[in-house]
Amino acid sequence: VHLEGFCGGTRFDCKDVKFVVGEGEDHDIPIGIDKALEKMQRGEHCVLYLGPRYGFGEAGKPKYGIQANAELVYEVTLKSFEKAKESWEMDTKEKLEQAAIVKEKGTTYFKEGKYLQAVIQYGKIVSWLEMEYGLSEKESKASDSFLLAAFLNLAMCYLKLREYTKAVECCDKALGLDQDNEKGLYRRGEARLLMNEFELAKCDFQKVLEVNPQNKAAKSQISICQKKTKEHNERDRRIYANMFTKFAERDAKEAASKTGVEKTACEKGPKTAGAEGKEAEGHV
C-alpha cells in the first residue's frame, strides 16, 4: 500500500509498505487501516477518517508526535495484495503450526495494550480450528488446547475493550471445552458483574471457589456482588415507593375533585314542577 497520514492538517507519515493485514501495528500503522483494507479492491484509493479507537488510541504515537486520543486522516492506495490461504486450503498440521505463531503474536499485542490487534490474532485460531473434524487424538488435544487459550484470551481482550456481551460468549465457548475452567468462570463473572447481572456473576464466582477454594479474588467479588445487589434492591424500593406515593396523591386529588362535583349537584337540589313546566314551554 501507499499511505499518507495527517493529524490536525499536518502530514506525519508518507510511505509505501508491505505487511500482513492485522499486523499493521508492527509498521506503525493503526488498526483502522487493517480494517479498511479488508474491504478494498486492488488499485482502490480512499480517504479514511479514524477516531481514537481505530487510530493510535490512548497511547498516541510519540514517534510521529501524535498525542493521546487524536483523530487521524489517512489517504490509502491498495497497490496489490496476495490472498492468504483459506481454512480449507490448510491441512491440520499447518493450522496447528500457524495457531502457535498467531497465539504468540496475540499475546505480544495484548501485553502492549493493543487489544483490537490481539483480537484479530486470537480470532484466526478460532476460524481455523473451531470446525475442524476427524482429528487424531493427539491433534484433537492440541486443537482443544489452542481453542481454549484463544477463547480465554479473547474474553480478556473484550473485557478490556468493554464489550462485555462478547466476553461472556467467549467464556461460554471456553467452558464448553472445560466446564470447570477457573479463568473462564472468573472472567465470565467479571463480565456479568460489569453488565449488572449480579446474581449470575455471584454464581460464577461461587463456582470458581468450588474449583479453587483459595481464590481470594473470587471471594472478594462475591462480596461486591452482594453489596451491589443490596444497593440495587434499595434503589428499586425507593423508586417504587415514590411511584406509589405519586399514584396515591393523584387518586386522592381525583377523589376530592369528584366529591366536590357531587356536593355541588346536591346543593342545587331538585327542580320544582313549575320550573320544569316553564323550561318545557320554552324548549322546542
Side-chain angles (χ1 to χ4, degrees), residues 83-90 94 128:
K83 196 170 182 180
K85 281 187 176 182
E86 297 287 353
S87 178
W88 55 268
E89 295 177 302
M90 302 165 65
E94 190 174 359
W128 292 333

Side-chain angles (χ1 to χ4, degrees), residues 1 20 24-26 37 47 52 62 76 118-119 131 133 141 143 148-149 154 180 229 238 248 267 271:
V1 300
V20 177
E25 180 61 36
D26 296 342
L37 286 171
V47 179
V76 182
V119 165
M131 304 303 290
Y133 300 108
K141 187 175 180 180
S143 175
L148 181 61
L154 281 168
D180 294 324
T229 301
R238 287 196 298 271
E267 287 174 350
K271 296 179 179 179

Side-chain angles (χ1 to χ4, degrees), residues 115-166:
Y115 306 120
L116 286 171
Q117 289 89 339
V119 165
I120 291 173
Q121 300 304 320
Y122 296 132
K124 290 179 182 179
I125 298 175
V126 176
S127 67
W128 292 333
L129 299 175
E130 188 175 24
M131 304 303 290
E132 189 77 348
Y133 300 108
L135 306 181
S136 67
E137 185 177 347
K138 183 179 179 181
E139 289 172 337
S140 181
K141 187 175 180 180
S143 175
D144 287 349
S145 177
F146 279 124
L147 281 171
L148 181 61
F151 286 129
L152 290 173
N153 291 336
L154 281 168
M156 181 57 79
C157 288
Y158 286 129
L159 282 170
K160 296 292 187 181
L161 293 167
R162 300 178 183 176
E163 296 185 34
Y164 305 127
T165 300
K166 289 184 178 180

Side-chain angles (χ1 to χ4, degrees), residues 193 196-199 202 221-239:
L193 178 56
N196 295 332
E197 295 178 350
F198 308 125
E199 288 301 319
K202 186 172 76 171
Q221 293 285 40
I222 289 173
S223 298
I224 292 173
C225 289
Q226 291 170 337
K227 181 181 177 183
K228 293 286 186 181
T229 301
K230 184 178 179 181
E231 291 174 354
H232 183 76
N233 291 339
E234 288 176 352
R235 185 167 60 250
D236 281 351
R237 277 196 293 271
R238 287 196 298 271
I239 291 171

Side-chain angles (χ1 to χ4, degrees), residues 12 25 28-29 56-57 59-68 114:
F12 63 84
E25 180 61 36
D28 301 311
I29 297 171
F56 293 121
K61 183 62 72 172
K63 176 180 178 179
Y64 295 139
I66 305 298
Q67 300 296 317
K114 298 166 184 174

Side-chain angles (χ1 to χ4, degrees), residues 10 86 113 178 206 220 233:
T10 302
E86 297 287 353
D178 178 7
Q206 287 172 337
S220 176
N233 291 339

Side-chain angles (χ1 to χ4, degrees), residues 5 18 36 59-61 76 87-88 108 118 148 168 186 242 258 267 272 282:
K18 180 180 179 180
K61 183 62 72 172
V76 182
S87 178
W88 55 268
T108 299
L148 181 61
V168 170
Y186 188 88
N242 292 335
K258 186 176 180 181
E267 287 174 350
T272 61

Side-chain angles (χ1 to χ4, degrees), residues 100-115:
I101 293 171
V102 299
K103 180 185 174 186
E104 290 303 315
K105 286 182 180 178
T107 300
T108 299
Y109 284 138
F110 182 86
K111 289 179 178 178
E112 295 173 354
K114 298 166 184 174
Y115 306 120

